[in-house]
Amino acid sequence: MNRLKTSTTTTLNHSSLPPMQKQSILKRFFKQWDLQMMVIPGLLFIFIFNYIPMYGVLMGFQDYNIFVGMRGSQWIGFEHFHTFFTDPRFWEIMRNTIVISGLKILIIFPAPIILALMLNEVKNMMFKRTIQTITYLPHFLSWVIVAGFGMSMLATDNGSVNILLEKVGFIDEPIRFLGLPEYFWGIIVSVNLWKSIGFASIVYLAAIAGVDQQMYEAAALDGASKFKQIYLITLPSIMPIIIIFFILEIGNLLNAGFEDLLLLGNNPALRSVSDVLDTYVYRVGISNSLYSYATAIGLFKAVISVGLLTLANLIARRTGNSLW
């Protein structure tokens, strides 16, 4: 009787296994060859352009000589890191990087969510599509064009911002916005907001479109206003997407920007507030051919970013939403 039970249990356990687990990996691969052919090019691209170049981080521990290459260059250990950490401008660069990134997270991150919530309540489809087109368009403009627009609008001679402020009586003479450090952080955040808000809202609009409409109908029958429906239904429904994007933003805390800061903050008078890690690497490391020094700073930034990403993911895991 016991043998019969054991045999029956074993048979049930084997039969309960999903068919995909019984097949070998190779069989499953050939069975899904059409799907695998779609994935393999992307994996090869990531491996070739993201993983193979990681060998180059060894330059950060060498006195790299372009003529003899990495194998012939002298190993100097952590000297470049020590040079960077003892640089008189180290804390200024870190302050600019963290403040600009923090302002972008504080202001730019919630802006697409608010825009998506507002567009979701618009019933006139023609008006909604017009607003979407207007807000999406700046994303497809290069930073060179956007920076040109910004410089033209903020110019002291015939700049539209100065003309407007003079007309309404806020100022008596034009202000050199791109020559005074106290205005730079507000300008760079505003320009980034204008460029990215529309395109970033697409993901949140798609998430909102997937919310069950019956919940809104039930809430309306219970007398819930639009604001209550947004607070009690829409936001909780798209919260997993918000948390995932917020984790990624925390991981990019040291990526304050490059093209926007390089173009709009090129004035030496703004260097005390515009110089961040990326622009410092370009100006000091790449322009002066200090490739090992630039690599060391890039490696430092990458290690800190991975740590921040892991920490943010661990905190988000407590809410039940995380990247891994």
Side-chain angles (χ1 to χ4, degrees):
M1 191 70 178
N2 291 333
R3 287 182 182 178
L4 181 60
K5 285 184 178 180
T6 305
S7 176
T8 307
T9 306
T10 306
T11 306
L12 288 172
N13 288 339
H14 280 293
S15 62
S16 62
L17 288 174
M20 293 298 292
Q21 291 185 10
K22 296 179 182 178
Q23 299 176 358
S24 67
I25 295 175
L26 198 60
K27 276 187 177 181
R28 283 156 52 188
F29 177 84
F30 284 109
K31 188 175 181 180
Q32 302 173 345
W33 68 269
D34 50 345
L35 299 176
Q36 302 293 346
M37 289 301 105
M38 296 173 63
V39 174
I40 288 174
L43 294 177
L44 287 175
F45 181 87
I46 293 173
F47 178 73
I48 293 171
F49 293 101
N50 290 78
Y51 282 91
I52 292 179
M54 289 175 70
Y55 172 72
V57 301
L58 296 177
M59 289 170 54
F61 305 94
Q62 294 179 325
D63 184 13
Y64 180 73
N65 188 330
I66 193 173
F67 298 104
V68 297
M70 291 180 61
R71 293 187 177 182
S73 298
Q74 180 184 0
W75 291 90
I76 59 173
F78 293 91
E79 186 176 325
H80 292 307
F81 297 92
H82 180 266
T83 303
F84 177 58
F85 295 148
T86 55
D87 190 318
R89 300 199 59 225
F90 171 76
W91 291 110
E92 181 181 278
I93 292 166
M94 291 301 297
R95 181 206 64 187
N96 295 339
T97 303
I98 294 172
V99 168
I100 293 175
S101 291
L103 288 173
K104 287 181 178 181
I105 293 174
L106 184 65
I107 297 173
I108 299 178
F109 178 76
I113 303 172
I114 297 171
L115 178 62
L117 293 172
M118 294 171 65
L119 288 174
N120 186 59
E121 299 300 325
V122 176
K123 303 305 179 186
N124 189 322
M125 292 306 297
M126 181 64 70
F127 178 74
K128 182 177 180 179
R129 289 171 183 170
T130 302
I131 297 299
Q132 285 178 308
T133 303
I134 293 171
T135 54
Y136 293 172
L137 184 61
H139 173 79
F140 299 99
L141 301 177
S142 71
W143 268 113
V144 177
I145 298 174
V146 173
F149 284 159
M151 291 176 184
S152 298
M153 294 178 65
L154 298 172
T156 54
D157 51 337
N158 298 324
S160 57
V161 174
N162 274 308
I163 292 173
L164 177 62
L165 293 176
E166 286 180 345
K167 293 290 185 183
V168 297
F170 284 169
I171 59 175
D172 297 324
E173 58 182 18
I175 299 175
R176 295 177 61 249
F177 287 105
L178 291 176
L180 299 173
E182 56 265 29
Y183 295 109
F184 182 74
W185 287 346
I187 292 170
I188 203 69
V189 171
S190 300
V191 174
N192 273 273
L193 177 64
W194 175 75
K195 189 177 189 299
S196 63
I197 184 173
F199 193 80
S201 66
I202 293 176
V203 177
Y204 301 108
L205 279 170
I208 292 172
V211 179
D212 189 357
Q213 296 300 314
Q214 292 182 355
M215 291 193 293
Y216 292 110
E217 295 172 3
L221 289 174
D222 289 339
S225 63
K226 285 293 181 182
F227 286 103
K228 280 192 175 181
Q229 292 178 30
I230 291 172
Y231 179 73
L232 297 174
I233 299 175
T234 309
L235 284 176
S237 299
I238 66 173
M239 191 55 67
I241 303 294
I242 295 174
I243 291 175
I244 288 172
F245 276 92
F246 185 73
I247 293 172
L248 296 175
E249 287 292 330
I250 295 297
N252 286 321
L253 186 65
L254 296 186
N255 292 325
F258 175 68
E259 295 155 312
D260 51 343
L261 294 164
L262 188 67
L263 293 168
L264 290 171
N266 196 35
N267 190 335
L270 299 174
R271 193 151 292 166
S272 61
V273 293
S274 68
D275 221 7
V276 297
L277 282 172
D278 290 332
T279 56
Y280 178 77
V281 166
Y282 172 76
R283 188 170 49 80
V284 176
I286 306 300
S287 298
N288 297 336
S289 300
L290 301 176
Y291 302 118
S292 295
Y293 185 61
T295 303
I297 299 173
L299 180 58
F300 160 75
K301 188 181 79 168
V303 171
I304 298 299
S305 297
V306 171
L308 289 172
L309 182 65
T310 305
L311 179 62
N313 189 75
L314 289 174
I315 296 172
R317 190 181 294 175
R318 298 182 179 180
T319 67
N321 300 292
S322 60
L323 289 174
W324 68 87

